[in-house]
Amino acid sequence: SHPIKARIGINGFGRIGRLVARIALCHTDVELVAINDPFLDAEYMRYLFVHDTVHRKYAGTVEWKKDALVVDGREVKVFAERVPSKIGWGEMGVDYVVEATGVFTEVEGANGHIEGGAKKVIITAPSKTAPMFVMGVNEEHYSPSLNIISNASCTTNCLAPLIKCIDQAFGVTDALMTTIHATTATQLVVDGPSKKKSREGRSAQNIIPSSTGAAQAVGEVYPALKGKLTGMSFRVPILDGSVVDVTCSLSKAATWEQLCTAVREASERGMSGILGYTEGELVSSDIVGDTRSCLFDAKAGIALNDHFVKLIGWYDNEWGYSNRVVDLLLYVHNKV
């Protein structure tokens, strides 16, 4: 690990921002310096940070001042700026900004953090203009010359390690993915308008088909599958815990046992902590709190024959993803 702590700031204190904060506070090599959110004062930040319906009450102590949170005795500066370049990252000595608003997902917008004094920005969403990195898949291609990068999406983080493992072992000629995805903050409790003027504005109490770029994004982080993979999403009415269902055509014949062995070996070696393997009888609530990007379910998948298979991978779309944000940040820090 790096001899100097990674000094981080978080922009946007929503679902991912708050969980990244919890995880960062547990890392001895990370110092959470500041948080920016123009829609929350310090008192309300404290409330939302301490109380979490899914991940339960924060175990430590949290107090608030006018412009700060005091977490386990450590003061964290609070800003309320709408424009990234006006946030006082530089004056606070913040090196890395976790851009978690969902607004500044492209280089042009995220560059405001660099203008404000930060050295690097990690975007917690897919990006068309910032290079995307998925731990366990392509982080080795990161160059210190890159100042603004993306951690891709939670679904890409689940799918990419699994299908990379299968492709390297047996070759994937083409694949279709469906993610059965928990509700997110953009959904509505009751029917209302959607920005896309589509069924996505319907109540989150429904199962809602939705588009997703997560599968195509795998081709960006793992070019061997570019153009061979696409997918869609079903939003379902649970708070957290999602599952990827990916159907693949294989170029090399493989029995189900051989597929399982390949994933299990990857989970114990090169992808340990990223890709998991289970033969348990899991349901979605069992994955909540799991730090891995993907947990392959050996008992849930099926094979039509030795060339056509359906693979199932569980993921905590909040907690697992937030852990990867911090892992990527530390990977970048250790390259400095």
Side-chain angles (χ1 to χ4, degrees):
S1 63
H2 201 285
I4 301 172
K5 286 186 177 184
R7 292 175 59 83
I8 78 165
I10 297 172
N11 189 41
F13 211 48
R15 296 302 303 152
I16 300 303
R18 295 197 294 275
L19 295 182
V20 167
R22 285 192 179 201
I23 295 160
L25 289 162
C26 294
H27 275 271
T28 56
D29 41 5
V30 176
E31 183 177 355
L32 179 58
V33 177
I35 300 164
N36 181 72
D37 197 307
F39 306 106
L40 303 173
D41 59 23
E43 182 179 11
Y44 200 34
M45 274 189 181
R46 178 202 173 275
Y47 174 80
L48 290 171
F49 181 74
V50 169
H51 301 283
D52 194 294
T53 302
V54 174
H55 303 285
R56 317 315 296 169
K57 188 175 182 180
Y58 181 70
T61 62
V62 187
E63 300 170 349
W64 67 276
K65 301 178 181 180
K66 182 182 178 184
D67 296 313
L69 294 179
V70 182
V71 186
D72 299 325
R74 292 175 287 181
E75 187 165 307
V76 180
K77 176 71 174 175
V78 168
F79 295 103
E81 297 287 347
R82 287 177 179 263
V83 180
S85 60
K86 293 184 178 180
I87 306 167
W89 302 130
E91 68 189 58
M92 295 301 299
V94 168
D95 295 321
Y96 306 94
V97 170
V98 175
E99 170 44 60
T101 64
V103 177
F104 305 105
T105 59
E106 304 302 333
V107 168
E108 184 178 0
N111 193 60
H113 297 301
I114 305 295
E115 294 173 5
K119 294 177 182 176
K120 305 280 185 183
V121 181
I122 289 92
I123 300 168
T124 67
S127 178
K128 295 176 182 176
T129 52
M132 293 187 286
F133 294 94
V134 171
M135 297 299 292
V137 178
N138 73 327
E139 73 272 18
E140 70 276 9
H141 296 302
Y142 167 76
S143 165
S145 63
L146 297 171
N147 293 329
I148 300 172
I149 62 175
S150 161
N151 194 55
S153 72
C154 54
T155 302
T156 301
N157 272 264
C158 176
L159 176 60
L162 176 58
I163 203 159
K164 177 184 178 181
C165 169
I166 298 301
D167 181 62
Q168 290 185 333
F170 308 106
V172 173
T173 58
D174 41 51
L176 287 173
M177 178 216 73
T178 301
T179 174
I180 299 89
H181 199 290
T183 305
T184 63
T186 58
Q187 291 182 253
L188 303 176
V189 176
V190 297
D191 288 2
S194 159
K195 288 182 180 178
K196 296 181 181 179
K197 297 182 179 179
S198 71
R199 56 188 159 196
E200 292 182 22
R202 300 291 296 280
S203 167
Q205 288 301 303
N206 291 292
I207 298 173
I208 305 175
S210 175
S211 61
T212 175
Q216 293 98 316
V218 171
E220 301 300 320
V221 298
Y222 184 60
L225 290 183
K226 192 164 188 176
K228 298 181 181 180
L229 176 65
T230 190
M232 63 167 293
S233 170
F234 283 109
R235 295 296 183 92
V236 296
I238 59 172
L239 288 177
D240 187 30
S242 300
V243 61
V244 153
D245 167 337
V246 58
T247 302
C248 308
S249 294
L250 306 177
S251 58
K252 179 182 176 182
T255 65
W256 186 254
E257 291 72 23
Q258 288 173 323
L259 282 164
C260 290
T261 297
V263 177
R264 185 176 64 250
E265 289 180 350
S267 74
E268 294 169 352
R269 296 173 188 171
M271 290 190 181
S272 177
I274 304 293
L275 177 63
Y277 176 91
T278 184
E279 295 179 0
E281 302 277 349
L282 300 188
V283 297
S284 61
S285 61
D286 296 323
I287 198 65
V288 175
D290 197 295
T291 60
R292 291 167 290 191
S293 300
C294 177
L295 181 58
F296 174 75
D297 190 326
K299 287 194 173 181
I302 55 174
L304 179 64
N305 54 52
D306 287 353
H307 288 276
F308 194 57
V309 298
K310 179 185 285 288
L311 311 172
I312 302 298
W314 297 97
Y315 60 117
D316 184 329
N317 48 281
E318 294 186 335
W319 190 248
Y321 181 78
S322 297
N323 272 273
R324 291 298 85 70
V325 171
V326 177
D327 287 350
L328 178 59
L329 187 152
L330 285 171
Y331 184 87
V332 168
H333 181 59
N334 288 323
K335 292 293 181 181
V336 172

